Structure formats: C-alpha cells, structure tokens
Amino acid sequence: MAARSRAVVVDRPGEHRLVSGAAPEPGPGEVLVRVAAAGICMSDREVYDGRRDAAYVRYPVTPGHEWSGTVAAVGAGVDPALVGRKTVAEGFRACGVCERCRYGETSLCTGGYAETGFTEPGAFADHLTVPARLLHPLRDDADLRAAALLEPSAVIAAAVRAGRPRPGERVAVGAGTLGLLAVQLLAASHPAELAVVDPRAARGEQARQFGATAALSPGEAEPARGRFDLVVETAGAPTTAASSCLLARRGGRVVLTGMFTPGAAGIDPVHLSLSQLEVRSVFGAPSSAWSEAVRAFGLGLLDPAPLITHEFPLERFGEAVALVGGGDPEVGKVLLVP
C-alpha cells in the first residue's frame, strides 16, 4: 500500500487546511523525503498573511522552506544509496546553466524564481519531493531537529562570507534567530569585539553564551555609532538598515540579511557617500554557503538547537504560525514536527 501523507495547504491569505492523500512520488532526478522537522519563519508568516510580494509566492501552496528529513525513495537516475540518508536541501530551484549559476551564484539564478515552500510544495507536510542535486546529506548522527535550521544558517553563512570578518575586528549583529546563528559563525573569526544589539535582554544573554562579548539595547547602541568594522543586519525591521549603517565606522562594511517591507526607512545617501561604506545584501544562499553551513554544523561549530522554543504537530499549524512575529519575547524558533 502506498504511503499516506498529510500537508498544510494555504489556499489564499489567511486560509489553510490539512489535506491527506498518497505520498508524492519522486520523478526523474528527484528524491522523496520524509520530513523530520520544519521551521516557521517570518517569510512563512508573510505568506499566510498575504504580505509577501506576489512575484515570490504562488497560491495555493504548502509552505515550509526550513526543514530536515530522511530520504525515503528516489526517482529514476538517482543513486539508490541515498535512501535512508539524513538530509537537508537548498530551497532555490536554480537552473544550473545560466551565467550566474555557472559563476556559483545560484541564489541569483536568471532562469526564473522557483523556491521550495513558496512556488513549489514545501515541508509543512509528512513528505516532499526535491531535486536530488539540491541535497546536502548530513552525518548519520545528525540531530534532525536542529538541522531544520540549516536553511537560515546557510543565509547567515552567505552573509558572513559577504562581510569578510577578520581577526581582531569590531563586529555588531542582531540577536534574533538569524543574529544568534550569526554570532556562532562570527565568533569563529576571533573578533576583538562581538556586540549584539537587541531590545530583549534574554536574547543578549543567550548571545553571550554563543560567543558575544557585549549585549546592547538599541538605546545603548547609539553611543557606539561609527564604532564597528562590520555590521550584520538580521532583523528586517523598518529602521534597521539605516541604523546598521550608522553603527559602522567610516570605510566599514554592512551586510543586510533582513527581509524589508515597503515603507522601511531608507539609508541616508549623504552618510553613505561621506562614510565610504560598503553595503551588501543577501537574499537566500548559494550552494557554497549551504556547504559551509552544513560543514560547520557537522563539526559542532554551529548549534541551532538552543534557539528552538516551541514545537507543534501539523494539525496545530494555525497556532504555530500565530506565534511567529507576534512579539512574545519568549518565542524563538517554532517548529512543525509531522
């Protein structure tokens, strides 16, 4: 008898249902993955609320782009030895043949936007199918609960690479989920100072446990403007792009990873030019950043598990998604566990 599978389907903003049927079958070049855990992030909340740019979502959709699982079956042309392997996979369905892909910049693929959980069925389900070429197999002893956070970890790996941290520099970062992941990777570059800026004192304390040397509230950070060699923005709040540029020293570097919405405060072009800042943005992660995040996870340099605060079954998706972005300081990463 074919395996049964459930999936959360968001038909349109604010409306979802749990459907059940036969598990999807992997096509040529694909694998079927049994989902172990899937994280809910603000992008998923935006999909549910209808606030994601229409070019980057396709309803009806099964969300879920942060996930881990085990290969349950393979399609034609895929190595059968993958069956039983713990794995994660890249979300962007890059074409692999355009100029940007050939440069290794798969997150800038010009072949058209397609991403698991936004335009393709995602992991808020018992099973999903993905192209085998996007897999990043994990160690046999990998914690799949923690591995569900390797997608945001890959984004942060891309941001850290873009920021080029050097030993002995002064670095500032936020203390949300992305920020706390960034602290772990940035600490490995041996900065002289690694400060987190966040209004939540508990997040600051957690950041210290991950290697931060200081925890500042936004108000406490104002006297530190112009101090930092590198600022990694991770919140996507209306003012954080502008305030991150103010924290950087003249000639410093700023990397923006947050997903901003229309109406966010702009960066002052006068300050930008006079300060000679280098500003980069990150949207998703290329294959190389995924490899770095998976490798750091396997070596124990990256441990996302302490960031998880809530777990829900698929049936309670409505409760779970309501927690994300709700403002409760006790809410960290929320997982769906099929």
Side-chain angles (χ1 to χ4, degrees), residues 14 88 99 109 183 234 246 275 291 330 332 334:
V88 291
E99 183 181 36
C109 174
V183 167
T234 58
L246 295 176
S275 297
S291 295
E330 299 300 316
V334 178

Side-chain angles (χ1 to χ4, degrees), residues 123-157:
F124 292 171
D126 291 315
H127 301 86
L128 82 160
T129 58
V130 293
R133 61 186 171 81
L134 300 180
L135 294 184
H136 287 267
L138 306 173
R139 291 168 45 137
D140 291 342
D141 61 352
D143 175 2
L144 287 178
R145 177 173 168 271
L149 275 70
L150 281 174
E151 190 277 341
S153 299
V155 173
I156 285 303

Side-chain angles (χ1 to χ4, degrees), residues 9-30:
V9 176
V10 177
D11 290 303
R12 57 186 61 83
E15 296 184 16
H16 75 277
R17 55 197 168 95
L18 185 65
V19 302
S20 180
E25 295 187 6
E30 294 184 332

Side-chain angles (χ1 to χ4, degrees), residues 65-158:
H65 60 287
E66 303 178 1
W67 60 269
S68 64
T70 303
V71 178
V74 300
V78 179
D79 185 354
L82 284 171
V83 174
R85 289 295 304 273
K86 294 179 178 180
T87 195
V88 291
E90 298 172 33
F92 285 125
R93 306 290 182 95
C95 73
V97 297
C98 71
E99 183 181 36
R100 295 273 58 85
C101 283
R102 290 186 176 275
Y103 269 96
E105 299 172 341
T106 52
S107 58
L108 296 175
C109 174
T110 60
Y113 172 72
E115 185 176 4
T116 300
F118 297 106
T119 65
E120 312 298 325
F124 292 171
D126 291 315
H127 301 86
L128 82 160
T129 58
V130 293
R133 61 186 171 81
L134 300 180
L135 294 184
H136 287 267
L138 306 173
R139 291 168 45 137
D140 291 342
D141 61 352
D143 175 2
L144 287 178
R145 177 173 168 271
L149 275 70
L150 281 174
E151 190 277 341
S153 299
V155 173
I156 285 303

Side-chain angles (χ1 to χ4, degrees), residues 16-282:
H16 75 277
R17 55 197 168 95
L18 185 65
V19 302
S20 180
E25 295 187 6
E30 294 184 332
V31 299
L32 175 71
V33 175
R34 177 70 168 90
V35 178
I40 306 177
C41 84
M42 274 303 297
S43 295
D44 300 308
R45 178 68 188 265
E46 289 169 358
V47 168
Y48 189 68
D49 290 345
R51 292 185 287 109
R52 187 170 174 87
D53 189 306
Y56 294 95
V57 64
R58 186 179 303 140
Y59 298 101
V61 65
T62 293
H65 60 287
E66 303 178 1
W67 60 269
S68 64
T70 303
V71 178
V74 300
V78 179
D79 185 354
L82 284 171
V83 174
R85 289 295 304 273
K86 294 179 178 180
T87 195
V88 291
E90 298 172 33
F92 285 125
R93 306 290 182 95
C95 73
V97 297
C98 71
E99 183 181 36
R100 295 273 58 85
C101 283
R102 290 186 176 275
Y103 269 96
E105 299 172 341
T106 52
S107 58
L108 296 175
C109 174
T110 60
Y113 172 72
E115 185 176 4
T116 300
F118 297 106
T119 65
E120 312 298 325
F124 292 171
D126 291 315
H127 301 86
L128 82 160
T129 58
V130 293
R133 61 186 171 81
L134 300 180
L135 294 184
H136 287 267
L138 306 173
R139 291 168 45 137
D140 291 342
D141 61 352
D143 175 2
L144 287 178
R145 177 173 168 271
L149 275 70
L150 281 174
E151 190 277 341
S153 299
V155 173
I156 285 303
V160 171
R161 294 177 72 211
R164 307 185 312 281
R166 306 178 184 105
E169 288 194 318
R170 296 181 297 271
V171 182
V173 67
T177 296
L178 289 178
L180 291 174
L181 292 170
V183 167
Q184 296 185 49
L185 293 182
L186 290 165
S189 68
H190 303 290
E193 182 179 349
L194 179 52
V196 295
V197 180
D198 197 280
R200 298 163 293 187
R203 289 300 183 95
E205 181 55 38
Q206 192 171 26
R208 288 181 182 274
Q209 296 171 12
F210 290 150
T213 60
L216 308 173
S217 69
E220 292 169 335
E222 288 194 13
R225 288 180 173 181
R227 174 177 177 79
F228 297 98
D229 302 288
L230 171 64
V231 180
V232 180
E233 186 283 328
T234 58
T239 62
T240 51
S243 61
S244 294
C245 290
L246 295 176
L247 286 173
R249 65 163 173 84
R250 293 191 71 200
R253 308 180 305 282
V254 178
V255 183
L256 307 176
T257 69
M259 294 297 292
F260 298 96
T261 56
I267 297 170
D268 180 359
V270 176
H271 174 77
L272 187 64
S273 59
L274 293 179
S275 297
Q276 300 183 64
L277 295 182
E278 177 185 329
V279 181
R280 290 283 307 274
S281 62
V282 170

